[in-house]
Amino acid sequence: RSAGVLPKSYVMSVFKHFAKSKVASDVYPVISDILQRYFDRLADDLEAYSAHAKRKTIEVEDVELLMRRQGFVTDSMPVNVLIEKFLPLEYRKLLIPVATSGNKVVPDQRR
Amino acid sequence: MDEKEAHTQRLKAAVHYTVSKICQSTVAECEKQISKQAVAAIAETTFRQCEIFAKDLEAFARHAKRQTITVDDVKLLARRSTALSSHMQQKSEELAMNNQELKEKRKKNAAKRKSKEMEGNEAEETES
């Protein structure tokens, strides 16, 4: 399993964006390994959460619960804020319908 | 607000009492000493951990569209650590067994009572 889960250039650019200091290029194998484990774990957790809600499909709620358990989503930091902070506009449009509907106010569909 | 704080203090005191009991028994087993501060620290950690557990369990129950927290939610909480989750599994099976036994006993008792009542009624009927 030499190929990483994500393309090398993408991983390195994201890592360099968030790292406060210069990044040596030989950290890539380590990051790739960590990412692999992270995604394995992610899949495992999401499976458990969707099974817990007696579903066979992983839905947005499961991911939100996962992020809550990971500590990214808290009472003072809702998912929508994270989406607006970290995702590009086209994904935001997909996830937050209000952003695409002009001035029409659409109630939050996930509640 | 003051009342709430008093309540918190009482809860903390109860946790501290139980923690010190557990610590004493563990310490007696290992033949070591434990300082009061260490016990207090464990008690405080336990209290805060309970807050985290409560929030997580609430989220899990809501996720499964339930109002009541069940054994499944608790199992989900302990899923990450293998030893803990196997221990939980064992305990929950024991609990389920006990519950079933209790239910069966109750059923038997109820059946007995019913049959007794029937007998009583029949006796009354024959008497009359």
Side-chain angles (χ1 to χ4, degrees):
Chain A
R1 202 183 51 198
S2 57
V5 275
L6 290 170
K8 182 175 177 178
S9 58
Y10 176 73
V11 171
M12 287 314 279
S13 71
V14 171
F15 193 76
K16 276 175 187 160
H17 174 75
F18 286 108
K20 293 254 166 21
S21 54
K22 280 186 182 173
V23 181
S25 60
D26 56 354
V27 293
Y28 173 70
V30 186
I31 300 175
S32 179
D33 186 38
I34 293 170
L35 272 178
Q36 182 68 52
R37 288 187 205 184
Y38 175 73
F39 279 110
D40 285 347
R41 211 174 175 154
L42 204 76
D44 201 29
D45 282 342
L46 286 174
E47 201 185 323
Y49 292 156
S50 63
H52 182 69
K54 297 187 180 62
R55 269 186 274 108
K56 284 182 179 168
T57 323
I58 290 162
E59 285 179 12
V60 186
E61 295 165 41
D62 301 319
V63 184
E64 193 180 331
L65 184 68
L66 183 79
M67 291 179 78
R68 192 172 276 278
R69 272 226 97 190
Q70 286 173 338
F72 294 116
V73 178
T74 53
D75 291 338
S76 56
M77 180 62 86
V79 202
N80 284 357
V81 175
L82 285 173
I83 290 171
E84 276 167 21
K85 211 169 173 180
F86 292 109
L87 291 186
L89 188 64
E90 56 261 44
Y91 294 132
R92 267 160 58 189
K93 279 181 182 169
L94 276 177
L95 291 167
I96 311 177
V98 180
T100 62
S101 59
N103 230 354
K104 277 183 285 178
V105 177
V106 179
D108 198 345
Q109 290 180 342
R110 285 179 293 104
R111 298 250 176 258
Chain B
M1 195 59 212
D2 230 16
E3 205 171 297
K4 202 180 169 188
E5 197 153 317
H7 192 65
T8 313
Q9 286 303 320
R10 274 215 298 281
L11 277 178
K12 272 189 187 178
V15 171
H16 189 279
Y17 175 76
T18 314
V19 163
S20 68
K21 284 275 168 199
I22 294 170
C23 280
Q24 274 167 17
S25 68
T26 315
V27 159
E29 257 173 48
C30 316
E31 293 169 0
K32 292 249 168 64
Q33 302 273 318
I34 187 163
S35 68
K36 277 180 187 172
Q37 285 90 338
V39 176
I42 296 172
E44 185 65 28
T45 315
T46 312
F47 195 77
R48 294 203 190 162
Q49 191 67 49
C50 279
E51 284 176 27
I52 299 169
F53 280 167
K55 271 187 188 162
D56 281 344
L57 286 172
E58 207 186 328
F60 287 153
R62 209 184 314 129
H63 181 73
K65 298 191 177 58
R66 271 188 273 104
Q67 299 286 318
T68 324
I69 292 165
T70 62
V71 188
D72 287 343
D73 301 319
V74 183
K75 275 185 202 159
L76 200 60
L77 193 74
R79 199 178 58 95
R80 266 282 152 243
S81 116
T82 330
L84 193 59
S85 68
S86 64
H87 179 76
M88 296 278 231
Q89 186 69 34
Q90 201 187 324
K91 283 282 168 199
S92 78
E93 274 164 19
E94 273 174 31
L95 263 178
M97 285 265 284
N98 280 346
N99 275 349
Q100 215 162 23
E101 273 173 23
L102 271 179
K103 264 187 192 170
E104 273 169 18
K105 266 187 191 172
R106 261 182 221 154
K107 260 187 197 169
K108 269 182 195 168
N109 280 346
K112 265 186 196 170
R113 241 178 270 149
K114 261 191 188 170
S115 60
K116 266 187 188 174
E117 276 172 19
M118 291 281 277
E119 275 170 24
N121 285 348
E122 276 170 17
E124 274 173 27
E125 275 168 24
T126 48
E127 270 172 28
S128 65

